[in-house]
Amino acid sequence: MEFTEKQLQILEIAETLFAAKGFEGTSVRDIAEKAGINVAMISYYFGSKEKLLEALFKSRIGSVQVRMENLIKDQSLSPLQKINLLIDEYVERVLQHENFFKIMVTEQLITKNPSVLSSLKQLKLRNVELITQLIKEGQKKNMFRKKVDVVMMVNTMIGTVWQTTMNRDFYFELHPAPVGSTDSANTILIKRKLSIHIKALFKVILTHEA
Amino acid sequence: MEFTEKQLQILEIAETLFAAKGFEGTSVRDIAEKAGINVAMISYYFGSKEKLLEALFKSRIGSVQVRMENLIKDQSLSPLQKINLLIDEYVERVLQHENFFKIMVTEQLITKNPSVLSSLKQLKLRNVELITQLIKEGQKKNMFRKKVDVVMMVNTMIGTVWQTTMNRDFYFELHPAPVGSTDSANTILIKRKLSIHIKALFKVILTHEA
DNA sequence: ATAAAAATCAAACAGTTGTTTAATTTATTG
DNA sequence: CAATAAATTAAACAACTGTTTGATTTTTAT
């Protein structure tokens, strides 16, 4: 996935617009205008609006996998520590790329684009595989219980993070932050809350007998 | 919200199309064709495509609240039993109206429609209020721990159910059901899995000290 | 400096969008 | 049955859609 500087700039603007108005709700003219370029440049650079979306997925998903892979190999950490790090990593990643996650969630339900769908499926598989491996390691060392439904566990993590992130405003209406607190301070708060919450849930799923 | 028979029929078809292709991705001609009516009838009955969406939200959300309300008053049930019933109720409801939930989730992120947004907010508030009340009851009877983050708890329930429902196909690719099993059999399986899983999580959240 | 390649542009393209119009059919009512 | 109202229709409306064209400018390489 090699993209030029110009392409990356267009992708970034497309990302914010797709997140705010949806893929179908965003016109190529919207993107061109906000990027300060001519409409024709989108076809010129990406071929089509559809292929622009594919490029966005390839670009964003490609940059994810690396750090996770190294986690498994680390011998100095216990299985539970690894799981906890994985949770932190995931929470961090979603909140850092909120816009792309919006697009992922909304688009995976309605797109028929085979390239996008296969990117998503590959990502999901990788997630499950990775956690499965971590859990097996913990089971071998008798630190985790035997029967664990990995898919359900992943669903809880992804779902909770998703639901919390997308309803962040609602949360702060119910739990008003101190006046004058910045948006980024709130983000940190949400991150910590999510991390603690999910770690507690996972610990139970993994260690308590049913 | 009083709708005629004809209006309800149109709403139902619009619901399936919005769920499959998104609101922006569905044209009024798509709806008219599938409903076997003239395009003009949609403006005639609802005023506009936008108001059709509002009508859909009002119609579907309005029919939700009733059963939940009665749950609280029931004196014969323990707080935990009530929570468990609430979980069953919620899982049941989402899986029964899968299409509408798809629309809810995708549209709440991108719509600027004030009527839709306010319907959604009202629904969320009601959910949190209800569970808060149930939890307070359990705390008074010293059956639940003192500090419970209700919003986070609700997020875990909604998020898990959502994530599991929307990735149902993925789940059955990893855990193949017996050959010849029907779709509705799979739905029942998912319901049970979700129900058990979330009940276990909630029990921990509510009773274990941190 | 010159030729070739790449980038940018305004304009036009054919389709589709949601909505409205005005005519016609169907149903209701007195 | 006649008059009124409601429902339905095909056609037209202007605005917008993604994409292409062909000319023009800018950049690169010789």
Side-chain angles (χ1 to χ4, degrees), chain A:
Chain A
M1 321 299 146
E2 59 297 319
F3 294 106
T4 69
E5 203 58 41
K6 205 95 196 172
Q7 281 177 310
L8 288 173
Q9 178 216 333
I10 297 174
L11 282 177
E12 198 164 308
I13 282 163
E15 185 179 46
T16 67
L17 286 174
F18 289 163
K21 323 205 288 177
F23 176 72
E24 298 273 1
T26 305
S27 74
V28 288
R29 281 174 182 80
D30 288 339
I31 302 170
E33 194 177 344
K34 196 153 190 179
I37 60 173
N38 191 281
V39 226
M41 297 312 291
I42 286 166
S43 295
Y44 180 74
Y45 274 126
F46 296 98
S48 69
K49 188 191 176 190
E50 203 74 30
K51 282 181 187 160
L52 167 64
L53 183 70
E54 297 177 21
L56 180 64
F57 270 79
K58 281 176 186 155
S59 137
R60 292 291 184 270
I61 286 187
S63 70
V64 166
Q65 309 284 358
V66 204
R67 272 191 293 181
M68 293 282 192
E69 314 285 345
N70 298 326
L71 199 60
I72 285 204
K73 301 174 194 151
D74 195 323
Q75 301 284 354
S76 67
L77 299 168
S78 78
L80 191 60
Q81 281 177 317
K82 287 185 186 180
I83 294 275
N84 285 343
L85 275 176
L86 182 135
I87 293 170
D88 285 335
E89 194 83 52
Y90 182 77
V91 170
E92 186 69 34
R93 195 183 353 136
V94 171
L95 285 169
Q96 207 158 45
H97 302 290
E98 233 174 286
N99 280 333
F100 180 66
F101 265 81
K102 260 194 193 180
I103 301 170
M104 261 185 62
V105 171
T106 54
E107 224 51 42
Q108 76 176 296
L109 297 175
I110 59 183
T111 192
K112 258 96 196 169
N113 188 311
S115 163
V116 170
L117 287 176
S118 111
S119 290
L120 283 170
K121 192 161 180 179
Q122 190 191 334
L123 183 64
K124 283 188 224 165
L125 265 176
R126 198 89 199 82
N127 278 340
V128 172
E129 269 174 22
L130 201 74
I131 301 198
T132 303
Q133 213 168 329
L134 284 182
I135 290 175
K136 278 194 181 146
E137 192 188 329
Q139 286 170 328
K140 264 193 197 134
K141 299 186 181 175
N142 268 329
M143 306 176 79
F144 295 162
R145 47 187 284 237
K146 298 232 183 66
K147 291 252 172 199
V148 177
D149 191 330
V150 180
V151 175
M152 216 54 140
M153 197 170 133
V154 173
N155 283 345
T156 289
M157 178 175 80
I158 297 179
T160 303
V161 173
W162 157 255
Q163 187 66 20
T164 304
T165 311
M166 296 303 125
N167 289 286
R168 186 214 300 237
D169 293 348
F170 181 70
Y171 185 88
F172 282 109
E173 280 181 40
L174 291 186
H175 302 84
V179 279
S181 41
T182 62
D183 195 65
S184 77
N186 285 349
T187 302
I188 292 175
L189 187 75
I190 288 281
K191 274 188 206 167
R192 193 167 43 224
K193 269 204 176 295
L194 267 174
S195 181
I196 293 174
H197 180 73
I198 297 174
K199 282 175 190 169
L201 293 181
F202 273 25
K203 195 180 175 188
V204 178
I205 295 177
L206 290 170
T207 60
H208 282 56
E209 281 300 328

Side-chain angles (χ1 to χ4, degrees), chain B:
Chain B
M1 320 305 144
E2 57 298 317
F3 294 105
T4 68
E5 202 59 39
K6 204 94 196 174
Q7 280 177 312
L8 288 174
Q9 178 216 332
I10 296 174
L11 283 177
E12 198 165 308
I13 282 162
E15 185 178 45
T16 66
L17 285 174
F18 289 163
K21 322 205 285 176
F23 177 71
E24 298 273 2
T26 305
S27 74
V28 288
R29 282 174 181 81
D30 288 340
I31 302 170
E33 194 178 343
K34 195 154 188 176
I37 60 173
N38 190 282
V39 225
M41 297 311 291
I42 286 165
S43 294
Y44 181 74
Y45 274 126
F46 297 97
S48 68
K49 188 192 175 188
E50 204 74 28
K51 282 181 187 160
L52 167 63
L53 183 70
E54 296 176 21
L56 179 63
F57 270 79
K58 282 175 185 155
S59 136
R60 292 290 184 271
I61 286 185
S63 69
V64 167
Q65 311 283 359
V66 204
R67 272 190 293 182
M68 294 281 192
E69 315 285 344
N70 298 326
L71 200 60
I72 286 204
K73 302 172 192 153
D74 195 324
Q75 300 284 357
S76 66
L77 299 169
S78 78
L80 192 59
Q81 281 177 317
K82 286 185 186 181
I83 295 275
N84 285 342
L85 275 175
L86 182 135
I87 294 170
D88 285 336
E89 194 83 52
Y90 182 75
V91 170
E92 186 70 34
R93 194 179 0 130
V94 172
L95 285 167
Q96 206 156 47
H97 302 290
E98 232 174 287
N99 280 334
F100 181 66
F101 266 81
K102 260 194 193 181
I103 300 170
M104 262 185 61
V105 171
T106 55
E107 224 50 44
Q108 77 175 296
L109 297 176
I110 59 182
T111 192
K112 259 96 197 169
N113 188 311
S115 163
V116 169
L117 287 176
S118 112
S119 290
L120 282 170
K121 192 163 179 178
Q122 191 190 334
L123 183 64
K124 284 187 223 165
L125 265 176
R126 198 88 200 83
N127 278 340
V128 172
E129 269 174 21
L130 201 74
I131 300 199
T132 303
Q133 213 169 328
L134 284 182
I135 291 176
K136 277 194 182 144
E137 193 188 327
Q139 286 169 329
K140 261 192 198 137
K141 298 188 181 175
N142 269 328
M143 304 176 81
F144 295 161
R145 47 186 283 236
K146 297 234 182 65
K147 292 252 171 200
V148 177
D149 191 330
V150 180
V151 176
M152 217 53 139
M153 197 171 133
V154 173
N155 283 346
T156 290
M157 177 174 80
I158 297 179
T160 303
V161 172
W162 158 255
Q163 188 67 19
T164 305
T165 311
M166 296 303 126
N167 289 286
R168 185 214 302 237
D169 293 348
F170 182 70
Y171 185 87
F172 282 108
E173 280 179 40
L174 291 186
H175 303 83
V179 279
S181 37
T182 63
D183 195 66
S184 78
N186 286 348
T187 301
I188 292 175
L189 187 74
I190 288 280
K191 275 189 205 167
R192 192 166 45 221
K193 269 203 176 297
L194 267 174
S195 181
I196 292 174
H197 180 72
I198 297 174
K199 282 176 190 169
L201 293 181
F202 273 25
K203 194 178 176 188
V204 178
I205 296 176
L206 289 171
T207 60
H208 283 54
E209 281 301 326

